[in-house]
Structures are given as C-alpha cells and as structure tokens.
Amino acid sequence: MFDDLPPDLARLLTLRVWHAMWLQRIDTKIAALQERNAEQEQDRNNRPQDPDWIVELGIGNGRPPIEVHVGNCYAAGKRRRPVLRDEARRLLTSGVRACTHCKPDAQLRILD
C-alpha cells in the first residue's frame, strides 16, 4: 500500500500523533486568522464615512479657519473639522484659502 511508511507499529503511532499535533496547530492558526479577518471587516463596516468637506483650523485663540479641503484630501492637517457644503462655500467666498491639492473651490464652482 504505502511503502514509504515505517514498518513497525510504534513508529506509525508516533507519526500519527505528530500529524495530529500539526493538524491541531494548523486548525488553531486558521481559526485565529478567520477571527482577525472578521474583526477587520467589522471595523471597516463600522468606520464613519469621510465628510464631504473639511476646514483646517489654525492655532491660537478661537482657532480660525485657514484652509478648506475636500473630505478625503491627503493634505489636510490634524486640526480640522467637518463642515457642510454651504459652510464650505461661505468660508471660501469670505476669503479662506482653498487647498491647492484637492481644489474645493473648483468642485464647489466658486470663481475668483
């Protein structure tokens, strides 16, 4: 049948135990990876959606707005808050700078 297996019972039983241990380790690893993937998927589903517009805030008293960005702009700083479309338009028309990377003024159709 299988000529490459050991000929005696003791070695065959030992080989069976080793294989069972390896299968248990593999099954444990598979279960851990499936659980991690399920948690990551759940985190992706529970993550809040990016806002449509972001205003970057300055430093100091009152933290004045310094720049308007599209919601997913990579150039937006850490001091920021989401704003609605109307507020983004109002800020841009009042003189707040538009981001040169994402160009929110062009997307909001505000002409100079």
mmCIF file of all heavy atoms in Angstrom, residues 67-103:
data_model
loop_
_atom_site.group_PDB
_atom_site.id
_atom_site.type_symbol
_atom_site.label_atom_id
_atom_site.label_comp_id
_atom_site.label_asym_id
_atom_site.label_seq_id
_atom_site.Cartn_x
_atom_site.Cartn_y
_atom_site.Cartn_z
ATOM 1 N N GLU A 67 -7.919 76.945 5.909
ATOM 2 C CA GLU A 67 -7.961 76.327 4.586
ATOM 3 C C GLU A 67 -9.144 75.372 4.496
ATOM 4 O O GLU A 67 -9.471 74.688 5.455
ATOM 5 C CB GLU A 67 -6.650 75.578 4.315
ATOM 6 C CG GLU A 67 -6.399 75.262 2.879
ATOM 7 C CD GLU A 67 -4.970 74.777 2.645
ATOM 8 O OE1 GLU A 67 -4.459 73.977 3.440
ATOM 9 O OE2 GLU A 67 -4.382 75.215 1.652
ATOM 10 N N VAL A 68 -9.762 75.308 3.321
ATOM 11 C CA VAL A 68 -10.890 74.406 3.068
ATOM 12 C C VAL A 68 -10.393 73.265 2.183
ATOM 13 O O VAL A 68 -9.644 73.493 1.239
ATOM 14 C CB VAL A 68 -12.060 75.156 2.399
ATOM 15 C CG1 VAL A 68 -13.195 74.199 2.079
ATOM 16 C CG2 VAL A 68 -12.554 76.276 3.292
ATOM 17 N N HIS A 69 -10.827 72.046 2.507
ATOM 18 C CA HIS A 69 -10.406 70.846 1.773
ATOM 19 C C HIS A 69 -11.629 70.022 1.394
ATOM 20 O O HIS A 69 -12.668 70.085 2.052
ATOM 21 C CB HIS A 69 -9.510 69.953 2.636
ATOM 22 C CG HIS A 69 -8.250 70.592 3.083
ATOM 23 N ND1 HIS A 69 -7.108 70.541 2.350
ATOM 24 C CD2 HIS A 69 -7.963 71.292 4.207
ATOM 25 C CE1 HIS A 69 -6.142 71.178 3.008
ATOM 26 N NE2 HIS A 69 -6.645 71.645 4.132
ATOM 27 N N VAL A 70 -11.472 69.193 0.373
ATOM 28 C CA VAL A 70 -12.449 68.144 0.074
ATOM 29 C C VAL A 70 -12.268 67.077 1.149
ATOM 30 O O VAL A 70 -11.170 66.899 1.682
ATOM 31 C CB VAL A 70 -12.213 67.573 -1.342
ATOM 32 C CG1 VAL A 70 -13.127 66.399 -1.620
ATOM 33 C CG2 VAL A 70 -12.411 68.651 -2.378
ATOM 34 N N GLY A 71 -13.301 66.333 1.476
ATOM 35 C CA GLY A 71 -13.303 65.413 2.607
ATOM 36 C C GLY A 71 -12.191 64.395 2.660
ATOM 37 O O GLY A 71 -11.719 64.047 3.726
ATOM 38 N N ASN A 72 -11.719 63.905 1.538
ATOM 39 C CA ASN A 72 -10.689 62.863 1.548
ATOM 40 C C ASN A 72 -9.317 63.387 1.144
ATOM 41 O O ASN A 72 -8.470 62.628 0.702
ATOM 42 C CB ASN A 72 -11.100 61.697 0.648
ATOM 43 C CG ASN A 72 -11.312 62.141 -0.784
ATOM 44 O OD1 ASN A 72 -11.219 63.324 -1.100
ATOM 45 N ND2 ASN A 72 -11.610 61.200 -1.655
ATOM 46 N N CYS A 73 -9.071 64.683 1.299
ATOM 47 C CA CYS A 73 -7.794 65.286 0.887
ATOM 48 C C CYS A 73 -6.670 64.827 1.807
ATOM 49 O O CYS A 73 -6.788 64.887 3.028
ATOM 50 C CB CYS A 73 -7.900 66.807 0.902
ATOM 51 S SG CYS A 73 -6.368 67.637 0.426
ATOM 52 N N TYR A 74 -5.578 64.387 1.218
ATOM 53 C CA TYR A 74 -4.441 63.920 2.000
ATOM 54 C C TYR A 74 -3.646 65.072 2.598
ATOM 55 O O TYR A 74 -2.859 64.886 3.518
ATOM 56 C CB TYR A 74 -3.514 63.053 1.137
ATOM 57 C CG TYR A 74 -2.810 63.832 0.043
ATOM 58 C CD1 TYR A 74 -1.574 64.408 0.266
ATOM 59 C CD2 TYR A 74 -3.398 64.002 -1.201
ATOM 60 C CE1 TYR A 74 -0.939 65.134 -0.723
ATOM 61 C CE2 TYR A 74 -2.775 64.715 -2.186
ATOM 62 C CZ TYR A 74 -1.539 65.279 -1.949
ATOM 63 O OH TYR A 74 -0.912 66.001 -2.923
ATOM 64 N N ALA A 75 -3.836 66.290 2.103
ATOM 65 C CA ALA A 75 -3.043 67.435 2.559
ATOM 66 C C ALA A 75 -3.657 68.147 3.756
ATOM 67 O O ALA A 75 -3.061 69.075 4.282
ATOM 68 C CB ALA A 75 -2.866 68.421 1.410
ATOM 69 N N ALA A 76 -4.825 67.722 4.194
ATOM 70 C CA ALA A 76 -5.466 68.364 5.348
ATOM 71 C C ALA A 76 -4.671 68.053 6.605
ATOM 72 O O ALA A 76 -4.225 66.935 6.816
ATOM 73 C CB ALA A 76 -6.904 67.881 5.495
ATOM 74 N N GLY A 77 -4.494 69.054 7.439
ATOM 75 C CA GLY A 77 -3.743 68.888 8.680
ATOM 76 C C GLY A 77 -4.541 68.156 9.738
ATOM 77 O O GLY A 77 -5.666 67.708 9.516
ATOM 78 N N LYS A 78 -3.966 68.071 10.941
ATOM 79 C CA LYS A 78 -4.621 67.343 12.025
ATOM 80 C C LYS A 78 -5.688 68.180 12.716
ATOM 81 O O LYS A 78 -6.611 67.637 13.295
ATOM 82 C CB LYS A 78 -3.583 66.884 13.037
ATOM 83 C CG LYS A 78 -2.646 65.850 12.462
ATOM 84 C CD LYS A 78 -1.727 65.307 13.513
ATOM 85 C CE LYS A 78 -0.777 64.337 12.852
ATOM 86 N NZ LYS A 78 -0.408 63.238 13.651
ATOM 87 N N ARG A 79 -5.548 69.498 12.702
ATOM 88 C CA ARG A 79 -6.541 70.368 13.330
ATOM 89 C C ARG A 79 -7.610 70.676 12.286
ATOM 90 O O ARG A 79 -7.461 71.597 11.493
ATOM 91 C CB ARG A 79 -5.889 71.663 13.823
ATOM 92 C CG ARG A 79 -4.889 71.463 14.936
ATOM 93 C CD ARG A 79 -4.235 72.770 15.332
ATOM 94 N NE ARG A 79 -3.843 73.585 14.202
ATOM 95 C CZ ARG A 79 -2.682 73.502 13.558
ATOM 96 N NH1 ARG A 79 -1.799 72.627 13.936
ATOM 97 N NH2 ARG A 79 -2.414 74.290 12.535
ATOM 98 N N ARG A 80 -8.657 69.923 12.289
ATOM 99 C CA ARG A 80 -9.692 70.088 11.268
ATOM 100 C C ARG A 80 -11.044 69.687 11.829
ATOM 101 O O ARG A 80 -11.132 69.019 12.851
ATOM 102 C CB ARG A 80 -9.373 69.258 10.048
ATOM 103 C CG ARG A 80 -9.220 67.787 10.339
ATOM 104 C CD ARG A 80 -8.813 67.040 9.114
ATOM 105 N NE ARG A 80 -8.372 65.691 9.439
ATOM 106 C CZ ARG A 80 -7.971 64.838 8.569
ATOM 107 N NH1 ARG A 80 -7.937 65.159 7.298
ATOM 108 N NH2 ARG A 80 -7.577 63.643 8.917
ATOM 109 N N ARG A 81 -12.077 70.106 11.124
ATOM 110 C CA ARG A 81 -13.429 69.696 11.487
ATOM 111 C C ARG A 81 -14.251 69.577 10.215
ATOM 112 O O ARG A 81 -14.016 70.294 9.246
ATOM 113 C CB ARG A 81 -14.071 70.652 12.488
ATOM 114 C CG ARG A 81 -14.378 72.010 11.963
ATOM 115 C CD ARG A 81 -15.072 72.876 13.025
ATOM 116 N NE ARG A 81 -15.148 74.240 12.586
ATOM 117 C CZ ARG A 81 -16.123 74.748 11.847
ATOM 118 N NH1 ARG A 81 -17.121 73.978 11.462
ATOM 119 N NH2 ARG A 81 -16.118 76.005 11.488
ATOM 120 N N PRO A 82 -15.215 68.671 10.213
ATOM 121 C CA PRO A 82 -16.071 68.536 9.031
ATOM 122 C C PRO A 82 -17.045 69.707 8.950
ATOM 123 O O PRO A 82 -17.477 70.248 9.965
ATOM 124 C CB PRO A 82 -16.804 67.223 9.264
ATOM 125 C CG PRO A 82 -16.751 67.010 10.735
ATOM 126 C CD PRO A 82 -15.512 67.678 11.228
ATOM 127 N N VAL A 83 -17.351 70.113 7.729
ATOM 128 C CA VAL A 83 -18.334 71.176 7.505
ATOM 129 C C VAL A 83 -19.283 70.745 6.397
ATOM 130 O O VAL A 83 -18.969 69.879 5.591
ATOM 131 C CB VAL A 83 -17.660 72.519 7.135
ATOM 132 C CG1 VAL A 83 -16.872 73.069 8.292
ATOM 133 C CG2 VAL A 83 -16.796 72.388 5.910
ATOM 134 N N LEU A 84 -20.432 71.400 6.377
ATOM 135 C CA LEU A 84 -21.403 71.144 5.321
ATOM 136 C C LEU A 84 -21.031 71.944 4.077
ATOM 137 O O LEU A 84 -20.208 72.866 4.122
ATOM 138 C CB LEU A 84 -22.810 71.516 5.795
ATOM 139 C CG LEU A 84 -23.327 70.714 6.978
ATOM 140 C CD1 LEU A 84 -24.659 71.284 7.454
ATOM 141 C CD2 LEU A 84 -23.467 69.250 6.613
ATOM 142 N N ARG A 85 -21.637 71.610 2.971
ATOM 143 C CA ARG A 85 -21.361 72.255 1.687
ATOM 144 C C ARG A 85 -21.575 73.763 1.751
ATOM 145 O O ARG A 85 -20.744 74.531 1.290
ATOM 146 C CB ARG A 85 -22.241 71.632 0.604
ATOM 147 C CG ARG A 85 -22.064 72.216 -0.755
ATOM 148 C CD ARG A 85 -23.049 71.570 -1.736
ATOM 149 N NE ARG A 85 -22.848 72.056 -3.062
ATOM 150 C CZ ARG A 85 -22.022 71.543 -3.951
ATOM 151 N NH1 ARG A 85 -21.310 70.488 -3.627
ATOM 152 N NH2 ARG A 85 -21.886 72.060 -5.148
ATOM 153 N N ASP A 86 -22.674 74.198 2.371
ATOM 154 C CA ASP A 86 -22.969 75.630 2.435
ATOM 155 C C ASP A 86 -21.919 76.383 3.248
ATOM 156 O O ASP A 86 -21.511 77.486 2.882
ATOM 157 C CB ASP A 86 -24.357 75.863 3.040
ATOM 158 C CG ASP A 86 -25.467 75.364 2.132
ATOM 159 O OD1 ASP A 86 -25.223 75.252 0.903
ATOM 160 O OD2 ASP A 86 -26.565 75.081 2.635
ATOM 161 N N GLU A 87 -21.467 75.786 4.344
ATOM 162 C CA GLU A 87 -20.441 76.448 5.148
ATOM 163 C C GLU A 87 -19.109 76.492 4.408
ATOM 164 O O GLU A 87 -18.384 77.486 4.485
ATOM 165 C CB GLU A 87 -20.265 75.764 6.500
ATOM 166 C CG GLU A 87 -19.324 76.533 7.407
ATOM 167 C CD GLU A 87 -19.205 75.939 8.797
ATOM 168 O OE1 GLU A 87 -19.919 74.978 9.109
ATOM 169 O OE2 GLU A 87 -18.386 76.458 9.563
ATOM 170 N N ALA A 88 -18.786 75.439 3.668
ATOM 171 C CA ALA A 88 -17.550 75.441 2.878
ATOM 172 C C ALA A 88 -17.608 76.550 1.829
ATOM 173 O O ALA A 88 -16.629 77.281 1.633
ATOM 174 C CB ALA A 88 -17.333 74.082 2.225
ATOM 175 N N ARG A 89 -18.740 76.702 1.164
ATOM 176 C CA ARG A 89 -18.904 77.780 0.179
ATOM 177 C C ARG A 89 -18.772 79.147 0.844
ATOM 178 O O ARG A 89 -18.110 80.039 0.336
ATOM 179 C CB ARG A 89 -20.254 77.668 -0.527
ATOM 180 C CG ARG A 89 -20.363 76.507 -1.489
ATOM 181 C CD ARG A 89 -21.728 76.465 -2.163
ATOM 182 N NE ARG A 89 -21.991 77.650 -2.965
ATOM 183 C CZ ARG A 89 -21.605 77.811 -4.228
ATOM 184 N NH1 ARG A 89 -20.933 76.838 -4.820
ATOM 185 N NH2 ARG A 89 -21.891 78.904 -4.884
ATOM 186 N N ARG A 90 -19.403 79.305 2.009
ATOM 187 C CA ARG A 90 -19.345 80.586 2.722
ATOM 188 C C ARG A 90 -17.920 80.921 3.126
ATOM 189 O O ARG A 90 -17.462 82.056 2.961
ATOM 190 C CB ARG A 90 -20.240 80.542 3.962
ATOM 191 C CG ARG A 90 -20.315 81.872 4.710
ATOM 192 C CD ARG A 90 -21.084 81.742 6.008
ATOM 193 N NE ARG A 90 -20.510 80.779 6.931
ATOM 194 C CZ ARG A 90 -19.422 80.993 7.684
ATOM 195 N NH1 ARG A 90 -18.775 82.122 7.592
ATOM 196 N NH2 ARG A 90 -18.987 80.063 8.509
ATOM 197 N N LEU A 91 -17.176 79.929 3.629
ATOM 198 C CA LEU A 91 -15.790 80.158 4.030
ATOM 199 C C LEU A 91 -14.925 80.556 2.842
ATOM 200 O O LEU A 91 -14.101 81.463 2.933
ATOM 201 C CB LEU A 91 -15.227 78.922 4.727
ATOM 202 C CG LEU A 91 -15.770 78.634 6.127
ATOM 203 C CD1 LEU A 91 -15.347 77.253 6.580
ATOM 204 C CD2 LEU A 91 -15.304 79.695 7.101
ATOM 205 N N LEU A 92 -15.110 79.868 1.723
ATOM 206 C CA LEU A 92 -14.310 80.183 0.536
ATOM 207 C C LEU A 92 -14.622 81.576 -0.004
ATOM 208 O O LEU A 92 -13.725 82.300 -0.416
ATOM 209 C CB LEU A 92 -14.528 79.124 -0.545
ATOM 210 C CG LEU A 92 -13.885 77.760 -0.254
ATOM 211 C CD1 LEU A 92 -14.343 76.735 -1.265
ATOM 212 C CD2 LEU A 92 -12.370 77.867 -0.253
ATOM 213 N N THR A 93 -15.888 81.948 -0.003
ATOM 214 C CA THR A 93 -16.251 83.281 -0.512
ATOM 215 C C THR A 93 -15.848 84.386 0.454
ATOM 216 O O THR A 93 -15.696 85.530 0.048
ATOM 217 C CB THR A 93 -17.761 83.376 -0.799
ATOM 218 O OG1 THR A 93 -18.484 83.032 0.376
ATOM 219 C CG2 THR A 93 -18.148 82.466 -1.946
ATOM 220 N N SER A 94 -15.649 84.033 1.738
ATOM 221 C CA SER A 94 -15.235 85.047 2.710
ATOM 222 C C SER A 94 -13.726 85.225 2.760
ATOM 223 O O SER A 94 -13.229 86.017 3.557
ATOM 224 C CB SER A 94 -15.779 84.716 4.098
ATOM 225 O OG SER A 94 -15.126 83.568 4.607
ATOM 226 N N GLY A 95 -12.981 84.493 1.949
ATOM 227 C CA GLY A 95 -11.538 84.706 1.871
ATOM 228 C C GLY A 95 -10.677 83.606 2.451
ATOM 229 O O GLY A 95 -9.452 83.724 2.437
ATOM 230 N N VAL A 96 -11.255 82.549 2.976
ATOM 231 C CA VAL A 96 -10.455 81.430 3.479
ATOM 232 C C VAL A 96 -9.836 80.729 2.277
ATOM 233 O O VAL A 96 -10.479 80.520 1.248
ATOM 234 C CB VAL A 96 -11.325 80.462 4.318
ATOM 235 C CG1 VAL A 96 -10.515 79.246 4.750
ATOM 236 C CG2 VAL A 96 -11.893 81.177 5.517
ATOM 237 N N ARG A 97 -8.580 80.388 2.398
ATOM 238 C CA ARG A 97 -7.812 79.790 1.302
ATOM 239 C C ARG A 97 -8.351 78.404 0.929
ATOM 240 O O ARG A 97 -8.748 77.621 1.787
ATOM 241 C CB ARG A 97 -6.353 79.695 1.744
ATOM 242 C CG ARG A 97 -5.398 79.245 0.692
ATOM 243 C CD ARG A 97 -3.960 79.308 1.173
ATOM 244 N NE ARG A 97 -3.785 78.381 2.294
ATOM 245 C CZ ARG A 97 -3.033 78.638 3.352
ATOM 246 N NH1 ARG A 97 -2.389 79.778 3.469
ATOM 247 N NH2 ARG A 97 -2.917 77.753 4.310
ATOM 248 N N ALA A 98 -8.340 78.113 -0.355
ATOM 249 C CA ALA A 98 -8.727 76.785 -0.853
ATOM 250 C C ALA A 98 -7.472 75.938 -1.005
ATOM 251 O O ALA A 98 -6.417 76.439 -1.404
ATOM 252 C CB ALA A 98 -9.437 76.898 -2.188
ATOM 253 N N CYS A 99 -7.558 74.676 -0.692
ATOM 254 C CA CYS A 99 -6.424 73.756 -0.824
ATOM 255 C C CYS A 99 -6.008 73.684 -2.291
ATOM 256 O O CYS A 99 -6.845 73.554 -3.190
ATOM 257 C CB CYS A 99 -6.821 72.381 -0.315
ATOM 258 S SG CYS A 99 -5.561 71.116 -0.551
ATOM 259 N N THR A 100 -4.708 73.747 -2.523
ATOM 260 C CA THR A 100 -4.219 73.700 -3.908
ATOM 261 C C THR A 100 -4.146 72.266 -4.436
ATOM 262 O O THR A 100 -3.970 72.069 -5.638
ATOM 263 C CB THR A 100 -2.825 74.341 -3.999
ATOM 264 O OG1 THR A 100 -1.940 73.668 -3.096
ATOM 265 C CG2 THR A 100 -2.892 75.815 -3.632
ATOM 266 N N HIS A 101 -4.264 71.284 -3.557
ATOM 267 C CA HIS A 101 -4.186 69.882 -3.989
ATOM 268 C C HIS A 101 -5.546 69.342 -4.419
ATOM 269 O O HIS A 101 -5.684 68.762 -5.489
ATOM 270 C CB HIS A 101 -3.617 69.003 -2.873
ATOM 271 C CG HIS A 101 -2.221 69.349 -2.501
ATOM 272 N ND1 HIS A 101 -1.143 69.009 -3.271
ATOM 273 C CD2 HIS A 101 -1.729 70.044 -1.449
ATOM 274 C CE1 HIS A 101 -0.044 69.461 -2.705
ATOM 275 N NE2 HIS A 101 -0.371 70.102 -1.598
ATOM 276 N N CYS A 102 -6.562 69.550 -3.567
ATOM 277 C CA CYS A 102 -7.872 68.964 -3.865
ATOM 278 C C CYS A 102 -8.823 69.950 -4.550
ATOM 279 O O CYS A 102 -9.853 69.546 -5.065
ATOM 280 C CB CYS A 102 -8.500 68.415 -2.589
ATOM 281 S SG CYS A 102 -8.808 69.651 -1.320
ATOM 282 N N LYS A 103 -8.494 71.244 -4.551
ATOM 283 C CA LYS A 103 -9.236 72.294 -5.247
ATOM 284 C C LYS A 103 -10.746 72.271 -4.938
ATOM 285 O O LYS A 103 -11.574 72.042 -5.814
ATOM 286 C CB LYS A 103 -9.007 72.209 -6.743
ATOM 287 C CG LYS A 103 -7.549 72.382 -7.138
ATOM 288 C CD LYS A 103 -7.402 72.344 -8.619
ATOM 289 C CE LYS A 103 -6.010 72.458 -9.139
ATOM 290 N NZ LYS A 103 -4.895 72.592 -8.336
#
